[in-house]
């Protein structure tokens, strides 16, 4: 009996075999995890090696090719010489339109007005009308001022100085008249109506057909500012008078662009100084050293009366849309 039990136990034990490790058994979970792991590694490598895309702010504006030029202004300019010798003082503000017969300047041969200006003994009292004129200039400047164009501050300063000097000269003239000492002062009046400019640059007689590349070389450009309370002689220039609202701007262009503009006949021009626009008639010029375009205007002359070089943009064939910079365009396989 005992032997049978022992044999039975041995028989059960003999059914146990060693488990041998076979090849790895894959399941769906391991396959998905492996695929995701490989994808993440490849994506990380591509991200580190690829050029990153930078965000841009897209604005609406002109889609046409910029047509910005620097032109030279051609006007009807008449230089007026001094009518004697003495200390010159101006009574018309620069850039102001005067009528025929208006007082422009005086010549003080005795130097009394110069002494009054130098000693500063006379106190200038401004009337309400005088203060209103200065206040209006300040308001116009404040509305148009931009930090990107700081040079306007100096231009405004010169305008205020011209206005203050004109008002001061009128007050001193009244004081001299009351004192009866105006015999030594000679007065000069405008021979015709026009815009007064106290400066010369040698281009007063320049014609559009005579414009060359040298005219645009600002390093060779010399402008002389005529200052008040200076001793002048009869041969000196007292001021310049612009007596015609019709004026021109000449710009250098190539032959292809000249043909395009000539086909338009009239183009819309934006002045970069104040962002104003005006229509101009196009005339193509074949000058001695190249092709130029003459833009003829019938307005806005007084705005640029003191400037010879003017920056402008031609707005023909203008298309509006979203402006995307070329650096924002990328290519990908």
């Amino acid at each position: 009996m005992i032997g049978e039990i022992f044999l039975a136990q041995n028989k059960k034990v003999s059914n146990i075999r060693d488990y041998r490790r076979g090849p790895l058994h894959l399941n769906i979970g391991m396959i998905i995890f492996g695929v995701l792991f490989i994808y993440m590694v490849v994506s990380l490598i591509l991200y580190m090696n690829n050029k990153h895309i930078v965000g841009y702010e897209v604005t609406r504006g002109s889609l046409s090719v910029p047509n910005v030029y620097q032109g030279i202004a051609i006007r009807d300019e008449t230089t007026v010489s001094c009518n004697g010798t003495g200390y010159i003082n101006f009574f018309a503000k620069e850039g102001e339109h005067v009528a025929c017969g208006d007082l422009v300047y005086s010549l003080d041969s005795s130097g009394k007005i110069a002494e009054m200006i130098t000693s500063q003994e006379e106190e200038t009292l401004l009337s309400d009308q005088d203060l209103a004129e200065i206040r209006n200039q300040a308001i116009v400047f404040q509305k148009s001022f931009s930090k990107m164009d700081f040079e306007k501050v100096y231009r405004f300063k010169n305008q205020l100085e011209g206005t203050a000097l004109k008002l001061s000269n009128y007050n001193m003239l009244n004081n001299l008249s009351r004192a009866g000492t105006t015999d030594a002062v000679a007065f000069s009046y405008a021979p015709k109506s026009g815009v007064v400019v106290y400066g010369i640059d040698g281009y007063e007689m320049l014609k559009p057909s005579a414009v060359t590349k040298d005219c645009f070389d600002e390093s060779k450009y010399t402008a002389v500012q005529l200052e008040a309370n200076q001793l002048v002689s009869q041969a000196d220039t007292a001021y310049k008078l612009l007596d015609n609202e019709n004026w021109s701007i000449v710009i250098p262009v190539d032959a292809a662009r000249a043909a395009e503009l000539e086909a338009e006949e009239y183009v819309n021009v934006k002045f970069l100084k104040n962002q104003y626009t005006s229509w101009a008639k196009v005339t193509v010029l074949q000058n001695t050293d190249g092709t130029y375009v003459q833009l003829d205007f019938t307005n806005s002359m007084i705005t640029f009366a003191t400037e010879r070089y003017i920056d402008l943009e031609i707005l023909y064939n203008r298309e509006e849309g979203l402006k995307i910079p070329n650096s924002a365009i990328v290519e990908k396989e």
Side-chain angles (χ1 to χ4, degrees):
M1 184 68 179
I2 296 174
E4 293 178 354
I5 295 174
F6 179 77
L7 291 173
Q9 290 178 349
N10 288 339
K11 189 177 181 180
K12 292 180 179 179
V13 172
S14 62
N15 292 332
I16 299 175
R17 293 183 176 88
D18 293 334
Y19 178 78
R20 295 182 180 180
R21 295 174 176 265
L24 181 64
H25 294 280
L26 299 178
N27 55 47
I28 188 64
M30 295 181 65
I31 294 175
I32 294 175
F33 176 79
V35 172
L36 292 177
F37 178 77
I38 295 173
Y39 173 78
M40 292 175 60
V41 171
V42 173
S43 298
L44 180 61
I45 295 174
L46 293 177
Y47 176 79
M48 297 298 293
N49 294 332
N50 285 349
K51 187 176 181 180
H52 297 172
I53 298 177
V54 181
Y56 288 87
E57 181 181 0
V58 179
T59 59
R60 176 172 290 275
S62 174
L63 298 179
S64 58
V65 178
N67 296 286
V68 178
Y69 302 91
Q70 183 186 62
I72 186 168
I74 308 294
R75 296 173 284 253
D76 290 338
E77 306 178 16
T78 302
T79 56
V80 180
S81 300
C82 298
N83 56 3
T85 301
Y87 290 91
I88 189 170
N89 288 280
F90 302 119
F91 291 86
K93 185 178 65 175
E94 186 175 38
E96 181 181 56
H97 191 278
V98 296
C100 181
D102 284 354
L103 177 62
V104 179
Y105 72 93
S106 67
L107 284 177
D108 177 21
S109 59
S110 65
K112 290 184 179 181
I113 295 181
E115 290 178 2
M116 295 176 65
I117 295 176
T118 303
S119 62
Q120 297 181 355
E121 294 177 355
E122 294 291 335
E123 181 180 0
T124 302
L125 299 178
L126 300 179
S127 65
D128 293 340
Q129 184 178 359
D130 297 336
L131 292 175
E133 181 178 353
I134 295 177
R135 189 181 300 110
N136 290 336
Q137 290 183 359
I139 293 174
V140 172
F141 168 76
Q142 183 181 10
K143 290 182 177 180
S144 62
F145 174 71
S146 172
K147 294 181 180 180
M148 301 300 294
D149 194 7
F150 192 76
E151 65 176 6
K152 289 184 178 180
V153 175
Y154 300 100
R155 192 178 300 118
F156 175 64
K157 172 177 174 291
N158 294 334
Q159 291 177 353
L160 285 184
E161 288 179 349
T163 301
L165 182 61
K166 180 189 72 172
L167 298 176
S168 176
N169 287 344
Y170 271 115
N171 287 334
M172 285 187 292
L173 180 62
N174 293 332
N175 293 336
L176 291 175
S177 298
R178 288 195 295 267
T181 57
T182 59
D183 295 338
V185 180
F187 300 99
S188 178
Y189 302 90
K192 53 184 176 180
S193 62
V195 179
V196 175
V197 175
Y198 299 119
I200 54 176
D201 57 6
Y203 286 156
E204 284 76 20
M205 303 302 294
L206 182 65
K207 301 298 181 183
S209 59
V211 173
T212 61
K213 293 180 180 179
D214 289 339
C215 297
F216 294 90
D217 189 355
E218 295 190 52
S219 62
K220 300 179 181 178
Y221 177 74
T222 302
V224 179
Q225 185 67 29
L226 307 176
E227 299 180 357
N229 198 29
Q230 300 294 318
L231 182 62
V232 297
S233 63
Q234 191 168 2
D236 296 332
T237 299
Y239 64 96
K240 186 166 57 179
L241 196 63
L242 315 181
D243 56 355
N244 196 333
E245 186 66 18
N246 297 327
W247 63 300
S248 304
I249 298 179
V250 177
I251 59 175
V253 296
D254 54 34
R257 185 54 55 88
E260 293 176 2
L261 295 176
E262 187 176 24
E264 295 287 334
E265 190 175 359
Y266 286 89
V267 293
N268 196 15
V269 175
K270 180 173 71 174
F271 299 105
L272 301 186
K273 171 186 174 181
N274 51 17
Q275 302 299 306
Y276 290 168
T277 59
S278 180
W279 286 92
K281 186 179 184 300
V282 176
T283 302
V284 176
L285 306 173
Q286 297 296 336
N287 291 357
T288 57
D289 63 346
T291 304
Y292 297 85
V293 165
Q294 176 182 340
L295 303 174
D296 296 324
F297 299 89
T298 58
N299 52 37
S300 306
M301 187 276 294
I302 191 172
T303 305
F304 305 96
T306 60
E307 300 182 26
R308 182 64 65 185
Y309 297 101
I310 300 174
D311 295 325
L312 56 88
E313 180 183 2
I314 298 178
L315 304 179
Y316 78 104
N317 291 337
R318 185 168 183 172
E319 297 291 341
E320 296 288 337
L322 298 177
K323 301 179 68 175
I324 301 177
N326 291 332
S327 57
I329 301 175
V330 296
E331 294 182 359
K332 185 177 181 180
E333 295 295 336

